[in-house]
Amino acid sequence: MRLAVLSDIHGNLAALEAVLSALAPFDAVWQLGDIVGYGPQPDEVIERLRAVGAQGVRGNHDSAAIGRIDVDWFNDDARAAVEWTAERLGPDGQRWLGELPERLVEGDFTLVHGSPRDPTWEYVYSTPIARACFMAFETPHCLVGHTHVPLVFREDDGRVEMLAPSDGSRLALDARRTILNPGSVGQPRDGDRRACGMVLDTDERTVEWRRVDYEVGTTQQRMREIGLPARLVERLGHGL
Ligand code: ZN
């Protein structure tokens, strides 16, 4: 089975459409949370994910947008975006987000937003954190998002190595356990503004990362019209 693995779409429909086209053909979509927040089209992104039958988990921004966690945990810009999203979200979208689990196990893969220790808040961005996280899931592999940076952590005989995949990077899944991050669709933060996604082929046992250009200006214009914070508009153009 060929899976499109997406994370941190953050209401950016133009980026989502570009990634879905670039990763096609695929049999199914897995998403790792933060479907909404920051971006201007939360309902449209939810509709698109429902249309492709995406399975996945809820992120911190999703939980905040439906009132499950306190917005005081967010910085000012993120909070402004969450508050706008909460007002804008239709009842169907709210219900759909509310029904998403925080953790999902599918075959050899555990899906979470942040980390298997703390699906809501923890960022897996270093080998010491990854080492501790390998003890917090049972499956051979774990899929995480939240950092908005594509990353791989691989456990090899007690050691943990970190790899930073770029466009076209491919990794064969062998007996070594991994924590895999597809990067962010809607708000990349590794200095490359192109949208990011991952293809997981469970028959070939490979993963491959893709970077995709999309019309950043379209999303930025919508954000300006809504009045979302200027810093959030600008960062999309820099990928930071
Ligand atoms: Zn996020």
Side-chain angles (χ1 to χ4, degrees), residues 55-167:
Q55 283 187 290
V57 293
R58 184 154 32 91
N60 53 319
H61 284 256
D62 305 321
S63 293
I66 57 170
R68 298 274 183 97
I69 56 177
D70 199 328
V71 290
D72 287 343
W73 290 101
F74 291 82
N75 67 43
D76 289 351
D77 288 343
R79 184 167 56 218
V82 162
E83 283 169 349
W84 176 82
T85 304
E87 264 174 48
R88 158 75 195 255
L89 262 185
D92 270 6
Q94 288 189 25
R95 200 175 312 118
W96 188 77
L97 288 178
E99 286 167 2
L100 293 175
E102 287 194 331
R103 185 187 188 96
L104 185 64
V105 175
E106 288 287 330
D108 284 346
F109 300 87
T110 298
L111 285 66
V112 290
H113 177 62
S115 86
R117 288 197 298 191
D118 178 355
T120 305
W121 292 112
E122 188 174 42
Y123 293 89
V124 186
Y125 59 82
S126 71
T127 50
I129 293 171
R131 189 174 295 115
C133 285
F134 273 112
M135 291 183 269
F137 63 99
E138 306 286 320
T139 53
H141 307 286
C142 183
L143 303 174
V144 303
H146 197 42
T147 62
H148 296 210
V149 174
L151 281 174
V152 175
F153 296 92
R154 187 163 57 184
E155 202 181 33
D156 193 0
D157 208 16
R159 284 196 317 246
V160 175
E161 60 174 337
M162 180 167 95
L163 311 168
S166 53
D167 184 30

Side-chain angles (χ1 to χ4, degrees), residues 13 16 40-49 88 222:
L13 184 67
L16 174 61
Q41 292 176 284
D43 281 314
E44 293 85 341
V45 164
I46 289 171
E47 262 172 46
R48 192 72 177 93
L49 288 178
R88 158 75 195 255
R222 285 182 185 276

Side-chain angles (χ1 to χ4, degrees), residues 8 10 33-34 38 60-61 113 146-148 184 187 189:
D8 297 276
H10 282 295
D34 278 9
Y38 295 132
N60 53 319
H61 284 256
H113 177 62
H146 197 42
T147 62
H148 296 210
S184 167
Q187 196 205 68
R189 292 181 190 162

